[in-house]
């Protein structure tokens, strides 16, 4: 997911959350923000009432295994088909290993910079 920001230190968590909402909405998903920050997910995106995605936004730094646990729990709680973590930083090795085992998609800073996903497209 590529944002319009070249320097992720300049984007606020709220701006990143809005970017992710726009990304899913332009692809036909209905997006619901989860108000409880401790729920493990920030957004639930639903496509045609069929596919549900639990999305966690991780702002800066290095995301740990607890972030993967959290979004995995949210995936179960909200009965989602898949889970994703979008991070403006990176993931530690334990987080990467667990995500691979339990099928949580990790999107790090490099992925955000390199992909062809832009605001509103």
């Amino acid at each position: 997911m590529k944002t319009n920001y070249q320097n992720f230190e300049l984007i606020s968590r709220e701006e990143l959350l809005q970017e992710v909402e726009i990304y899913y909405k332009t692809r036909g998903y209905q997006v619901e923000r989860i108000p409880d920050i401790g729920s493990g997910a920030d957004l639930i995106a639903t496509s045609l009432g069929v596919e549900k995605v639990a999305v966690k936004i991780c702002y800066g730094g290095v995301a740990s295994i607890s972030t993967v646990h959290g979004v995995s729990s949210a995936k179960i709680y909200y009965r989602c088909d898949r889970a994703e973590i979008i991070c403006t930083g990176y993931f530690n090795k334990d987080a990467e290993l667990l995500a691979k085992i339990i099928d949580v998609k990790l999107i790090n800073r490099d992925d955000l910079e390199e992909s062809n996903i832009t605001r509103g497209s």
Side-chain angles (χ1 to χ4, degrees):
M1 171 179 293
K2 184 176 181 181
T3 67
N4 290 331
Y5 302 92
Q6 297 300 317
N7 185 347
F8 288 106
E9 286 72 33
L10 299 179
I11 184 174
S12 71
R13 186 178 187 287
E14 180 61 28
E15 289 171 316
L16 180 59
L17 192 57
Q18 288 173 354
E19 287 278 337
V20 174
E21 276 187 288
I22 290 167
Y23 167 75
Y24 278 104
K25 285 179 178 179
T26 59
R27 281 148 185 82
Y29 286 81
Q30 291 185 334
V31 179
E32 174 189 356
R33 282 199 188 194
I34 306 301
D36 179 12
I37 217 161
S39 72
D42 296 305
L43 302 171
I44 301 297
T46 306
S47 174
L48 303 172
V50 177
E51 181 187 48
K52 286 177 75 175
V53 184
V55 182
K56 178 67 178 171
I57 305 298
C58 186
Y59 186 73
V62 177
S64 69
I65 197 169
S66 64
T67 307
V68 178
H69 280 292
V71 77
S72 178
S73 295
K75 175 184 169 188
I76 294 165
Y77 181 80
Y78 293 105
R79 294 184 172 101
C80 295
D81 301 295
R82 57 191 178 95
E84 298 180 351
I85 302 171
I86 299 169
C87 184
T88 60
Y90 298 94
F91 298 91
N92 69 26
K93 293 295 179 193
D94 291 336
E96 290 174 351
L97 178 61
L98 179 61
K100 187 174 183 174
I101 292 168
I102 63 174
D103 196 29
V104 171
K105 182 176 181 180
L106 302 182
I107 301 166
N108 68 24
R109 179 185 194 108
D110 295 338
D111 299 326
L112 288 169
E113 291 174 348
E114 292 174 8
S115 80
N116 61 0
I117 301 167
T118 59
R119 176 180 278 198
S121 66

